[in-house]
Amino acid sequence: MMMNCKDVSTLIARGELTQAPLMRRLAMRMHLVFCRHCRAFQRQLDAIARAARAATARLANEPGAEFEATLTRRMREDPPQAK
Amino acid sequence: MADLDESLLALLRARDPDALRTIADEHGRRIYRAARGMGHSAADAEDLVQDVFLAFLLSLDRFEGRAQVGTWLFGILHRKSLERRRAVVREELSDPIDQLFESQFDTRGHWHLAADAPEHLIHAEQAGGAIAGCLEALPDQQREVFHLRQVEDLPAEAVSKITGLSVTHIGVLLHRARVRLRVCLGEKGWGRR
């Protein structure tokens, strides 16, 4: 089974590397061994994910320290609604 | 993500303070981060988290023992987020980003060599604040799927349960989000030497 760059990069971007049938996964692995452009594309998407996680980590100082206590109080005090 | 056992469920139904605190401590900030990741402001995200946990308490009778608390909470967050935006976001069947992606390949499906060489853009550390603006520019559904799949690292099947979308659709949305982010970061000169 031959796969071209478009097939491989589409599978990579969809996050379907592990779900593809075995033969397809093998063909993709083989393609990646020889194609530096697809390897770079894969590294690039990994880098974007790392950057997004780093951006989210910057939220570490929010919300404030009272967040959990306030949330717990709201859950205790909010009267159960009629179903 | 821990499962809820029957004893904790009973304590939550009775609104036992320690049990409530346990749930808030274990999941509150994660759900808050996801709300922020979906594009809600800090104040809106705090309100939304409170709505999510109140709805969670009311839904305990429907809680499936096999479900994970985190997945259940993300599902409630997904619905509350849509309600807050007062619209069900419909993803277009076609998206211009698909054509842009296609245009990067020749007729045999190989990368155009003339296209921006991908390795020019691989340095995540250089992305800095640039990615925040690119994330904000994503369509809502793509942004949510990207956050759940790539930041929360949830499998496609879990995101499918949370959003009610098929696993295939999740893949399409993730693909569009990642290509769009790549284009956006490229336009910002990310990683260029």
Side-chain angles (χ1 to χ4, degrees):
Chain A
M1 180 188 289
M2 289 291 290
M3 293 182 80
N4 61 29
C5 298
K6 194 165 105 179
D7 298 330
V8 170
S9 54
T10 297
L11 269 182
I12 290 170
R14 288 186 176 201
E16 293 174 355
L17 298 188
T18 56
Q19 297 159 338
L22 178 64
M23 289 306 289
R24 207 165 163 76
R25 286 205 306 272
L26 288 174
M28 196 188 63
R29 294 284 170 212
M30 188 65 77
H31 180 100
L32 283 170
V33 167
F34 294 105
C35 181
R36 69 185 179 89
H37 292 297
C38 284
R39 285 200 306 274
F41 180 74
Q42 186 176 31
R43 286 201 306 274
Q44 209 176 76
L45 296 192
D46 289 345
I48 289 171
R50 286 200 304 277
R53 285 193 286 272
T56 303
R58 291 194 197 99
L59 299 175
N61 59 350
E62 64 174 76
E66 292 299 306
F67 173 72
E68 283 84 359
T70 305
L71 182 56
T72 305
R73 192 171 62 248
R74 274 298 308 277
M75 286 193 281
R76 280 186 67 189
E77 294 174 356
D78 196 76
Q81 293 170 14
K83 292 174 189 167
Chain B
M1 289 186 285
D3 292 338
L4 278 186
D5 59 34
E6 280 302 321
S7 58
L8 184 54
L9 271 174
L11 289 170
L12 287 170
R13 287 192 185 103
R15 305 215 177 193
D16 174 82
D18 290 337
L20 295 175
R21 179 76 193 213
T22 298
I23 287 293
D25 285 349
E26 284 186 8
H27 300 281
R29 283 177 192 267
R30 191 172 184 211
I31 298 298
Y32 174 88
R33 273 202 319 268
R36 294 285 278 132
M38 290 176 191
H40 295 281
S41 69
D44 274 356
E46 283 204 46
D47 282 351
L48 201 45
V49 172
Q50 295 193 4
D51 287 352
V52 167
F53 278 79
L54 291 174
F56 169 71
L57 289 181
L58 294 173
S59 69
L60 285 177
D61 290 339
R62 296 195 305 277
F63 185 79
E64 298 168 21
R66 287 173 302 167
Q68 290 187 313
V69 183
T71 307
W72 190 257
L73 289 168
F74 278 128
I76 298 172
L77 173 65
H78 169 74
R79 292 190 293 277
K80 292 285 176 188
S81 177
L82 286 180
E83 283 172 17
R84 194 158 285 229
R85 291 186 170 124
R86 297 174 192 277
V88 176
V89 181
R90 294 185 190 283
E91 182 74 11
E92 297 293 332
L93 285 178
S94 65
D95 184 321
I97 202 70
D98 295 338
Q99 279 83 53
L100 198 149
F101 179 70
E102 299 258 338
S103 73
Q104 295 181 307
F105 303 93
D106 64 22
T107 53
R108 292 178 302 151
H110 298 308
W111 291 99
H112 280 303
L113 290 180
D116 200 6
E119 59 267 35
H120 286 180
L121 302 169
I122 63 168
H123 305 294
E125 296 72 19
Q126 296 176 14
I131 197 158
C134 293
L135 286 166
E136 279 175 21
L138 286 180
D140 290 339
Q141 264 190 323
Q142 291 176 26
R143 184 174 178 166
E144 179 178 8
V145 166
F146 179 83
H147 182 89
L148 294 173
R149 289 286 279 119
Q150 298 278 276
V151 178
E152 294 295 338
D153 206 21
L154 295 177
E157 292 74 15
V159 180
S160 171
K161 276 186 191 165
I162 289 164
T163 60
L165 301 171
S166 69
V167 169
T168 303
H169 198 169
I170 297 294
V172 171
L173 291 170
L174 180 62
H175 178 276
R176 288 174 178 169
R178 294 169 109 181
V179 172
R180 196 164 253 128
L181 287 171
R182 179 172 176 265
V183 170
C184 176
L185 287 166
E187 286 171 356
K188 288 172 183 272
W190 178 40
R192 288 183 201 281
R193 288 178 284 240

